[in-house]
């Protein structure tokens, strides 16, 4: 199966959870996911409510969140997503303090802090969307 054969079979909804101006990480990750055959829907900067509404509307196979240090917003976003789509896996990346990484992992979010390899993120997306 080629990447083209996989296209549009697995959807990833990706949102930035803060109003910072750093786009390099999210663009690298979403580009790598697209190159790997995922259909990526980039929300850009979105509130928890906007992210949850988009997830409910689009029914993605995976939700990606760019954190940028705002753990409380991310936890609120995750709670809303779990309420509406409890089976949809969530992964997060960006500036994440070690204590925040532990908190997110405790609620079932896979976390990829700065320095994570794109190949590991893409492999996780494949694993999380299998089946």
């Amino acid at each position: 199966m080629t990447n083209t054969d996989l296209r549009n079979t697995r959807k990833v909804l990706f949102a930035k959870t803060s109003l910072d101006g750093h786009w390099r990480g999210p663009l690298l990750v979403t580009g790598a996911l697209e190159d790997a055959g995922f259909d990526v829907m980039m929300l850009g900067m979105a509130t928890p409510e906007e992210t949850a509404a988009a997830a409910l509307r689009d029914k993605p196979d995976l939700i990606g969140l760019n954190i940028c240090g705002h753990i409380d917003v991310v936890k609120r976003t995750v709670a809303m997503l779990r309420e509406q789509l409890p089976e949809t896996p969530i992964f997060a990346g960006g500036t994440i303090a070690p204590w925040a990484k532990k908190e997110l992992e405790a609620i079932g979010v896979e976390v990829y802090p700065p320095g994570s390899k794109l190949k590991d993120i893409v492999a996780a997306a494949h694993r999380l969307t299998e089946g």
Side-chain angles (χ1 to χ4, degrees):
M1 207 181 256
T2 67
N3 285 349
T4 304
D5 296 329
L6 293 174
R7 191 146 327 273
N8 296 319
T9 60
R10 292 168 293 167
K11 294 189 293 185
V12 179
L13 177 68
F14 200 92
K16 286 178 60 64
T17 61
S18 69
L19 297 176
D20 77 339
H22 297 100
W23 283 89
R24 185 173 185 198
L27 292 176
L28 285 172
V29 170
T30 56
L33 292 170
E34 287 174 339
D35 289 347
F38 289 90
D39 179 14
V40 178
M41 300 165 287
M42 173 59 115
L43 284 182
M45 293 183 231
T47 65
E49 294 80 9
E50 291 167 335
T51 303
L56 191 58
R57 179 190 65 234
D58 296 330
K59 304 284 193 271
D61 300 298
L62 176 63
I63 298 166
L65 301 173
N66 176 256
I67 293 180
C68 299
H70 298 277
I71 188 68
D72 292 332
V73 174
V74 173
K75 286 167 55 176
R76 199 166 75 237
T77 303
V78 170
M80 288 181 167
L81 292 167
R82 294 275 193 248
E83 211 173 276
Q84 295 180 10
L85 299 167
E87 302 302 316
T88 304
I90 301 170
F91 71 158
T95 305
I96 306 168
W99 61 267
K101 181 178 186 290
K102 289 178 186 174
E103 283 187 23
L104 290 173
E105 289 173 341
I107 59 172
V109 176
E110 288 206 22
V111 180
Y112 295 89
S116 298
K117 294 181 185 334
L118 283 175
K119 68 177 182 141
D120 295 337
I121 296 168
V122 170
H126 280 293
R127 177 177 43 76
L128 291 167
T129 58
E130 286 179 349

